[in-house]
Amino acid sequence: MISEMIRETQEQKLKHLLAYVSAHSPYYQKIFRKHGVDVDSIVTVADLAKLPFTTKDNLAAANDDFLCVPKSRIADYVTTSGTLSDPVAFYLTDSDIERLADNESESFRRADGSEHDIYQLMTTIDKRFMAGLAYWMGARKLGAGMIRVGPGAPFLQWESIQRFSPTVIIAIPSFIPRLIDYAVANGIDYASSSIKSVICIGEPIRNPDFTYNELGKRITSQWNVKLYSTYASTEMGAAFTECSEGKGGHLNEDLLILEVVDEEDRVVNEGELGEVVITTLGVEGMPLLRYRTGDLCHVYYGPCLCGRKSPRLGPVVGRKQQMIKFKGTTIFPPAIFDVLDMVQEIELYQVVVSKNEFGNDEITILLPMQLQTTFFREKLHSLFKSRLRVTPLFQFITAEELTFRIYKQEKRKPEKLIYI
Ligand SMILES: [Zn+2]
């Protein structure tokens, strides 16, 4: 369980937060009135259960009502990724940006980073993306260096690695096999490069038992780099980042209160799966109380082998809203990605989830044309049968068309999954 000292600090910050939103948040003022909430009766973290949850729908419906400061005090405008819905606006004040920097420098430190490191950023820093900015600020705060290459562009990535000798890559992990393939095809000696680790954002690299999943295996079997997983979101404005033990992302208890709840909204026990619910601490622009992220993770409250006592979250097993009911089986998209990542020949894919005429979910996997052989289809069929017990539909299109569909200009991340 959380140590006494952490609990006390969190409770002080919680008290401050409740007074702050009561005074400044039109949304929470309304909610407190509606539910007859007496904020003075909320003293401990367990007392938070007296408050209703805040959902993604609440946030979308009353977006600007969450803002606690006049718009003239907003320093940076960002939006959520909006995988399943329209992106929601988030407003950051100067102090919120500072909080992001604190979070990210601590997150780098947890992933064994120091002022001696040089980070190469392979995600976007613009496009209203909070994380890119956070990485840059975090590296600066840590006293480390950063090369902002951005997503894609394997030539520029390798040229930068050879020119500046960065030690750490920050990337969406499914980009790394592409980076390796480019090096192989162009005679670049990637094995003896300066890179020693990769901070993996946006996609899991581990199974719930912390062994590498297929993507994690694919990277580490080809390249001797250490992988650190990090889980974050715009709403949290903070990250759960793994330490060298690789046994889940650590909570930064200065910045978030964590609850992990089951279907009946009860806090789950050690090692159990539940939905991640967060309360943000120290946020000035848009603080959130008991925000339901929709992300399902296993939670570990016990101390970590690294010596830290903060709770840890296992890999995101799925998003609640992304649960697919397919031919009587419940599947989350990461499980489908994991099967596809096992197949050496597959470099590009897109998973399309749609509803058929009976309102049931259908899964279609788009693959490049050159893989369209009877032998390959049968191989995929049996692989899916053995791993997920069901087989999706496969559709083959040209590699150009597939690349176009996945790497859309206006999107911040490659679209491995779409809903139509
Ligand atoms: Zn640890």
Side-chain angles (χ1 to χ4, degrees):
M1 283 315 227
I2 296 180
S3 80
E4 264 323 293
M5 216 173 76
I6 297 171
R7 191 177 293 277
E8 269 174 38
T9 320
Q10 285 206 323
E11 286 174 1
Q12 268 169 22
K13 289 190 178 191
L14 176 61
K15 192 178 165 188
H16 176 263
L17 168 68
L18 291 168
Y20 181 77
V21 296
S22 301
H24 302 288
S25 167
Y27 178 80
Y28 286 115
Q29 284 168 347
K30 204 186 290 172
I31 290 293
F32 291 171
R33 266 200 309 275
K34 188 173 157 199
H35 294 266
V37 173
D38 169 19
V39 290
D40 293 331
S41 75
I42 299 162
V43 179
T44 67
V45 169
D47 290 338
L48 271 178
K50 294 178 187 172
L51 291 173
F53 291 104
T54 305
T55 65
K56 277 182 200 286
D57 289 342
N58 298 147
L59 199 51
N63 202 168
D64 282 12
D65 284 351
F66 282 85
L67 182 61
C68 293
V69 297
K71 284 209 168 156
S72 59
R73 291 205 41 220
I74 298 162
D76 199 68
Y77 295 75
V78 300
T79 50
T80 57
S81 297
T83 314
L84 291 161
S85 51
D86 279 342
V88 171
F90 259 81
Y91 304 110
L92 285 85
T93 65
D94 195 49
S95 100
D96 291 338
I97 295 177
E98 202 49 42
R99 180 180 173 277
L100 273 190
D102 284 338
N103 164 71
E104 215 51 58
S105 62
E106 178 49 36
S107 164
F108 285 149
R109 232 175 261 124
R110 246 173 288 159
D112 301 318
S114 78
E115 71 272 25
H116 304 298
D117 282 304
I118 301 171
Y119 292 84
Q120 184 154 319
L121 185 63
M122 301 190 180
T123 71
T124 189
I125 196 168
D126 49 15
K127 295 191 173 160
R128 311 192 310 215
F129 187 42
M130 181 193 267
L133 176 72
Y135 293 127
W136 185 76
M137 307 264 320
R140 191 159 170 251
K141 184 133 208 168
L142 186 66
M146 178 166 280
I147 311 154
R148 292 174 291 112
V149 180
F155 169 78
L156 196 59
Q157 303 291 0
W158 282 114
E159 199 264 349
S160 302
I161 292 170
Q162 287 168 332
R163 182 185 288 238
F164 302 117
S165 302
T167 49
V168 187
I169 285 172
I170 304 168
I172 293 167
S174 56
F175 178 62
I176 304 298
R178 280 185 69 210
L179 199 62
I180 298 171
D181 289 347
Y182 184 90
V184 171
N186 292 278
I188 296 165
D189 180 13
Y190 68 94
S192 51
S193 80
S194 54
I195 302 297
K196 60 181 173 61
S197 59
V198 184
I199 295 192
C200 300
I201 78 159
E203 296 165 346
I205 48 155
R206 295 185 198 281
N207 299 308
D209 66 359
F210 299 124
T211 55
Y212 281 132
N213 65 13
E214 294 303 327
L215 181 57
K217 275 190 236 163
R218 194 165 178 166
I219 299 168
T220 52
S221 66
Q222 292 183 83
W223 200 6
N224 183 25
V225 286
K226 191 163 170 63
L227 306 184
Y228 295 88
S229 186
T230 182
Y231 157 66
S233 69
T234 310
E235 295 91 326
M236 299 195 264
F240 289 80
T241 304
E242 282 181 356
C243 64
S244 59
E245 298 296 329
K247 294 283 191 305
H250 280 276
L251 166 72
N252 185 333
E253 59 278 277
D254 287 332
L255 305 183
L256 295 176
I257 293 174
L258 170 71
E259 298 170 89
V260 182
V261 301
D262 66 12
E263 298 278 320
E264 275 87 46
D265 300 338
R266 286 179 308 227
V267 170
V268 305
N269 293 319
E270 172 75 14
E272 286 180 357
L273 187 72
E275 181 180 0
V276 177
V277 175
I278 53 96
T279 295
T280 57
L281 298 172
V283 171
E284 196 178 39
M286 281 177 63
L288 296 176
L289 297 175
R290 305 196 85 203
Y291 178 71
R292 300 191 82 118
T293 63
D295 297 332
L296 301 171
C297 295
H298 295 267
V299 64
Y300 301 88
Y301 305 104
C304 180
L305 288 171
C306 71
R308 291 179 184 86
K309 293 193 169 65
S310 50
R312 285 161 290 133
L313 290 178
V316 178
V317 172
R319 294 230 154 105
K320 236 176 139 180
Q321 303 91 326
Q322 289 182 338
M323 190 172 79
I324 304 164
K325 291 267 186 201
F326 183 60
K327 297 178 184 170
T329 301
T330 299
I331 305 171
F332 287 105
I336 302 171
F337 301 156
D338 204 43
V339 176
L340 293 164
D341 289 333
M342 281 176 80
V343 187
Q344 199 64 41
E345 298 94 321
I346 300 179
E347 285 174 22
L348 284 175
Y349 60 79
Q350 189 178 52
V351 177
V352 182
V353 181
S354 56
K355 294 258 184 234
N356 67 15
E357 71 236 66
F358 309 107
N360 298 322
D361 289 329
E362 288 281 359
I363 305 169
T364 307
I365 308 206
L366 300 182
L367 292 163
M369 198 75 98
Q370 64 265 33
L371 297 176
Q372 192 180 19
T373 62
T374 313
F375 172 75
F376 190 72
R377 267 178 188 275
E378 279 167 10
K379 179 177 163 177
L380 277 183
H381 265 271
S382 57
L383 194 59
F384 270 95
K385 252 295 171 291
S386 68
R387 296 285 296 241
L388 298 181
R389 299 198 302 276
V390 286
T391 312
L393 295 167
F394 300 105
Q395 198 185 327
F396 295 85
I397 59 176
T398 65
E400 290 77 30
E401 169 73 13
L402 188 53
T403 308
F404 177 75
R405 290 195 194 195
I406 298 170
Y407 299 97
K408 281 196 178 143
Q409 264 293 310
E410 72 274 17
K411 295 286 177 181
R412 301 196 292 224
K413 297 175 194 163
E415 289 200 293
K416 275 166 65 168
L417 172 72
I418 59 160
Y419 293 80
I420 54 170

